[in-house]
């Protein structure tokens, strides 16, 4: 089947820009076509002046796969417009049906691409941080297939990065606690992310290389949610604490 990938990319970009949900894609895309749509829809953002700042991994934990019913790792692209400035409340109106999830972020000091081992991956890491990802599927009812979600930039919407910390030391089993309005809502461990979030970075380097791309020095890489995501409502205050690394927080405007 021949689909007009530019048309699908425009449909998804408009849905994100106007925070207006659309039906799941009627086109049966291949996974390659879905990543082409993602690249095309991001190109529209770059053309409007947004700048690429890195990438995010998705479905790197069992909790996330089970919550969404999707069982393959995916990735998406991050832009500067998605970064939430510290202390600035998020406007709920920017999103369709936002959810927040607890993550770990890596900051790279050297490029990475292709098949690498965890030692090589960590040697390219300048810093690690606790991070909150705000995901917002552009599909009605937050329901999608694997190719739908890939085309939709893997639900990327916003991110909050906590204080950057020295990456030395074991990242494989750090306690992670997500609180909303002072009440514990999700708790887990960085081990939920592929056994160790560094394996998510290893996978990121391999997956971008499959598309002829690379991770660059200065890139942020989000390792993926360690637990299921929680719906965001106006007025909420969300805080993630990660053992040893510190915390990241956000508030949603009333
Ligand atoms: C897709 C994005 C998955 C993660 O951390 O696993 C993701 C979604 O759940 O809508 O960001
Ligand atoms: Mg995520």
């Amino acid at each position: 089947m021949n689909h007009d990938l530019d048309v699908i990319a425009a449909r998804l970009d408009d849905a994100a820009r106007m925070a207006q949900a659309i039906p799941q894609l009627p086109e049966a895309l291949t996974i390659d076509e879905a990543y082409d749509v993602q690249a095309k829809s991001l190109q529209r953002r770059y053309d409007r002046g947004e700048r690429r700042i890195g990438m995010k991994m998705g479905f790197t934990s069992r909790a996330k796969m089970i919550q969404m019913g999707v069982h393959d790792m995916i990735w998406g692209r991050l832009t500067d417009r998605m970064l939430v400035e510290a202390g600035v409340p998020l406007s709920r109106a920017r999103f369709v049906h936002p959810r927040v999830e607890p993550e770990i972020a890596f900051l790279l000091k050297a490029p990475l691409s292709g098949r690498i081992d965890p030692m090589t991956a960590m040697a390219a890491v300048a810093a690690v941080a606790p991070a909150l990802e705000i995901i917002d599927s552009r599909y009605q009812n937050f329901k999608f297939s694997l190719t739908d979600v890939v085309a939709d930039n893997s639900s990327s919407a916003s991110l909050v990065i906590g204080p950057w910390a020295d990456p030395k030391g074991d990242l494989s089993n750090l306690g992670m606690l997500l609180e909303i309005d002072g009440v514990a809502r999700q708790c887990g461990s960085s081990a939920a992310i592929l056994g160790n979030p560094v394996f998510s970075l290893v996978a990121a380097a391999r997956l971008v290389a499959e598309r002829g791309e690379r991770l660059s020095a200065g890139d942020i890489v989000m390792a993926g949610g360690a637990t299921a995501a929680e719906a965001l409502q106006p007025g909420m205050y969300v805080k993630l604490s990660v053992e040893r690394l510190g915390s990241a927080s956000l508030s949603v405007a009333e």
Side-chain angles (χ1 to χ4, degrees), residues 125-143:
V125 172
V128 291
L132 291 168
E133 185 181 27
I134 295 103
I135 50 171
D136 190 31
S137 176
R138 268 56 68 164
Y139 300 110
Q140 287 161 3
N141 307 316
F142 227 112
K143 285 233 156 54

Side-chain angles (χ1 to χ4, degrees), residues 188-211:
S189 157
S190 60
I193 306 164
L194 297 174
N196 182 333
V198 71
F199 290 118
S200 180
L201 184 58
V202 167
R206 177 174 55 80
L207 292 174
V208 293
E210 284 174 6
R211 297 272 314 168

Side-chain angles (χ1 to χ4, degrees), residues 41-188:
S41 85
L42 265 285
Q43 188 56 50
R44 295 170 63 94
R45 287 175 174 252
Y46 305 144
D47 291 346
R48 289 195 296 272
E50 290 182 43
R51 193 172 52 82
R52 178 190 174 285
I53 58 163
M55 67 164 290
K56 59 153 292 172
M57 291 293 291
F59 304 130
T60 50
S61 70
R62 296 264 313 144
K64 281 290 303 179
M65 291 193 258
I66 290 165
Q67 183 179 33
M68 303 316 297
V70 174
H71 299 272
D72 269 319
M73 270 191 278
I74 59 174
W75 62 278
R77 296 151 208 266
L78 304 173
T79 77
D80 57 346
R81 212 182 107 69
M82 298 177 190
L83 263 178
V84 179
E85 274 175 74
V88 178
L90 270 179
S91 163
R92 170 71 180 74
R94 252 179 82 175
F95 307 100
V96 182
H97 35 211
R99 296 179 180 176
V100 65
E101 53 194 19
E103 305 214 4
I104 303 273
F106 294 100
L107 178 65
L108 299 188
K109 61 182 177 192
L112 283 177
S113 182
R115 287 183 182 276
I116 49 168
D117 59 34
M119 289 263 283
T120 310
M122 281 315 290
V125 172
V128 291
L132 291 168
E133 185 181 27
I134 295 103
I135 50 171
D136 190 31
S137 176
R138 268 56 68 164
Y139 300 110
Q140 287 161 3
N141 307 316
F142 227 112
K143 285 233 156 54
F144 44 68
S145 67
L146 179 69
T147 51
D148 288 337
V149 66
V150 165
D152 184 27
N153 198 23
S154 299
S155 304
S156 305
S158 277
L159 59 149
V160 177
I161 307 281
W164 289 112
D166 191 314
K168 279 200 211 60
D170 188 6
L171 300 176
S172 71
N173 188 15
L174 303 176
M176 297 173 71
L177 173 67
L178 184 78
E179 290 167 288
I180 300 185
D181 297 327
V183 178
R185 295 284 284 268
Q186 294 285 344
C187 81

